[in-house]
Amino acid sequence: MAIESVNPATGERLLSFDALTAGELDGKLARAAQAFASYRHTSYAERAGWLHRAADLLDEEAGELGRLATLEMGKTLASAVAEVHKSAKGCRWYADHGEEMLADEPWPIDGARVFTRYEPLGPVLAVMPWNFPYWQVFRFAAPALMAGNAGLLKHASNVPQCALKIEDVLQRAGFAEGVFQTLLIPSSAVKGVIEDDRVRAVTLTGSEPAGRQVAATAGGAVKPSVLELGGADPFIVMPSADVEEAAKQAVASRMLNNGQSCVNAKRFLLHESIADEFLRHMVARMEALKIGDPMADDTDLGPLSSADAVKTLDQQVRDTVEAGADVLTGGTPLDGPGHFYPPTVLANIPDGSPGHHEEFFGPVALVWRVSSTDEAVRVANDSPFGLSGSAWTTDEAEQEKFVAEVDTGMMYVNKFTESTPEVPFGGTRNSGYGRELAAFGPRSFVNPKTVWVQ
Ligand code: NDP
């Protein structure tokens, strides 16, 4: 089966790759196991050196790598280049801090030396999405490699060129052959890879259905898994907030990555006393965005990743409007070529409609009016997802209430959510489990071995 690279801004087919045959896949798994056997004995200093070199290569080649991401998945070139630099930052951060996170951890027992040693697990499979084709991979790879694991990347089928570039960068950085490999395989081959004895753990970033299947396979094989799934992040605005600034940040968050990030603010919960003012600013800002060629410097919003992505989003919007929601702007896909959807704001989202309980993976803001902090918390938690949220208020009691009562893996106050290496990242409920980044990243793929020396 072919794996294809298609430019979503034009619909043009760029390149086609044959998926690995069963024999080729077996060869790569054997190479991973073999490479791990010696890589696990390398020192932290050596691993840090290779990660630093990878960071340098990413920075030096950010223009070319960014262009490839824009061609394959449609994000604006400026954001693609920024993503490559962010990946470099992630590599450097784990090179500089990984060793202290993985150092032996002592326990206080009289008369004995007792500690936890963090040992690598082996080859780890990473099933990754197309939306941040570099950052999502490096935020797994940098900590996992620092911890002494080998990496196997099954990237989304629409970004094969980015996937191959990542392997190439890590090899040129000095990691031995087989320590990090890209597997050009369809998602139907993932189950067999997880079940293979040579693979010791799996991490997936992507949709809830894919997460359920991968976790079920990992559970059946008794292998650890980390799931970073979708989100329908609430963005709560209370009367004490700077309403214009909050609307500006709301649009920035919702439109990030052409509206296709798990932690985009997606549901806007506005106190009724400021809702009209907020929506005036939000709609004006949405309508002022320039839609077009993601390679152009002045483009704010590029295409969605595929024709299917537009179709899914369009259906979700139609069903929500049919159920009674109001369209404040946008609401209809743009004519081709390319897979474009306009900035859209829907208000008065009816219970039971897709807007109420599904993730909208595109530039669509969903709006609720709330009359109190209690109602804001209730609506925020009335979602199957629990990835992140943000609250905009200068009232300390309100801040504390939202932090304590909104059921998400991350809560930001007067700032929208971002993923950065220094801070743990992950969700609750249908947004997945486990954490990436900070010290959780490397510790997700280790055997914390208890050692007692009497
Ligand atoms: P998918 O979950 O389908 O794809 C993510 C990765 O999982 C890809 O590598 C994909 O491979 C693989 N995959 C898909 N199905 C399975 C399966 N059954 N078993 C094993 N691996 C699988 O996401 P999409 O790209 O299709 O996007 C759909 C939705 O996913 C979005 O609307 C959004 O809700 C969510 N999403 C969330 C992201 C996040 O950052 N949390 C990122 C991207 C998507 P292949 O490409 O070969 O199918």
Side-chain angles (χ1 to χ4, degrees), residues 249-319:
Q249 298 299 329
V251 172
S253 175
R254 179 59 284 210
M255 293 296 128
L256 195 75
N257 214 40
N258 300 341
Q260 304 162 113
S261 165
C262 51
V263 288
N264 288 125
K266 295 182 183 127
R267 296 181 300 136
F268 298 85
L269 285 39
L270 312 176
H271 190 272
E272 59 194 6
S273 66
I274 51 85
D276 288 339
E277 184 191 352
F278 181 96
L279 287 171
R280 239 189 349 269
H281 291 301
M282 179 185 232
V283 169
R285 283 185 176 275
M286 291 284 229
E287 291 177 346
L289 294 172
K290 185 161 187 301
I291 306 168
D293 177 4
M295 290 288 179
D297 287 344
D298 61 346
T299 293
D300 299 307
L301 186 66
L304 298 196
S305 62
S306 65
D308 276 353
V310 174
K311 204 168 140 201
T312 303
L313 187 66
D314 182 38
Q315 195 61 53
Q316 288 174 307
V317 168
R318 279 169 193 275
D319 290 348

Side-chain angles (χ1 to χ4, degrees), residues 127-131 136 154-157 187 190 204-207 210 213-214 228-230 262 359 361:
V127 183
M128 290 288 141
W130 44 265
N131 61 340
Q136 304 274 22
K154 184 274 180 272
H155 217 325
S157 297
S187 54
V190 166
L204 175 135
T205 299
S207 64
Q213 287 204 8
V214 161
E228 204 278 275
L229 308 180
C262 51
E359 179 183 29
F361 220 58

Side-chain angles (χ1 to χ4, degrees), residues 25 29 123-127 152 154 183 185-204 210-227 433:
L25 176 58
L29 299 186
V124 180
L125 175 66
V127 183
L152 291 163
K154 184 274 180 272
L183 309 177
I185 53 173
S187 54
S188 54
V190 166
K191 186 170 186 287
V193 175
I194 297 171
E195 288 171 341
D196 191 291
D197 275 348
R198 293 166 290 195
V199 173
R200 301 313 312 157
V202 59
T203 180
L204 175 135
R212 284 184 192 279
Q213 287 204 8
V214 161
T217 306
V222 198
K223 294 181 184 174
S225 57
V226 170
L227 296 184
Y433 53 71

Side-chain angles (χ1 to χ4, degrees), residues 377-431:
V377 168
R378 185 188 63 71
V379 178
N381 290 338
D382 186 17
S383 163
F385 297 102
L387 190 54
S388 182
S390 65
W392 297 73
T393 168
T394 55
D395 181 311
E396 284 186 20
E398 288 181 356
Q399 293 176 353
E400 185 48 41
K401 182 179 174 81
F402 293 132
V403 168
E405 296 184 19
V406 176
D407 183 11
T408 50
M410 301 170 278
M411 197 64 202
Y412 282 63
V413 178
N414 297 327
K415 175 174 167 53
F416 66 74
T417 307
E418 64 168 324
S419 104
T420 184
E422 304 88 337
V423 181
F425 188 94
T428 61
R429 299 181 283 139
N430 293 8
S431 293

Side-chain angles (χ1 to χ4, degrees), residues 128-201:
M128 290 288 141
W130 44 265
N131 61 340
F132 292 92
Y134 297 112
W135 169 240
Q136 304 274 22
V137 176
F138 280 99
R139 83 179 181 187
F140 148 74
L145 292 174
M146 196 61 196
N149 297 292
L152 291 163
L153 169 64
K154 184 274 180 272
H155 217 325
S157 297
N158 57 337
V159 288
Q161 298 190 70
C162 294
L164 291 168
K165 275 287 179 194
I166 293 168
E167 176 181 310
D168 172 59
V169 164
L170 288 169
Q171 279 212 4
R172 281 189 287 132
F175 288 97
E177 204 195 329
V179 170
F180 188 94
Q181 298 176 86
T182 286
L183 309 177
L184 290 182
I185 53 173
S187 54
S188 54
V190 166
K191 186 170 186 287
V193 175
I194 297 171
E195 288 171 341
D196 191 291
D197 275 348
R198 293 166 290 195
V199 173
R200 301 313 312 157

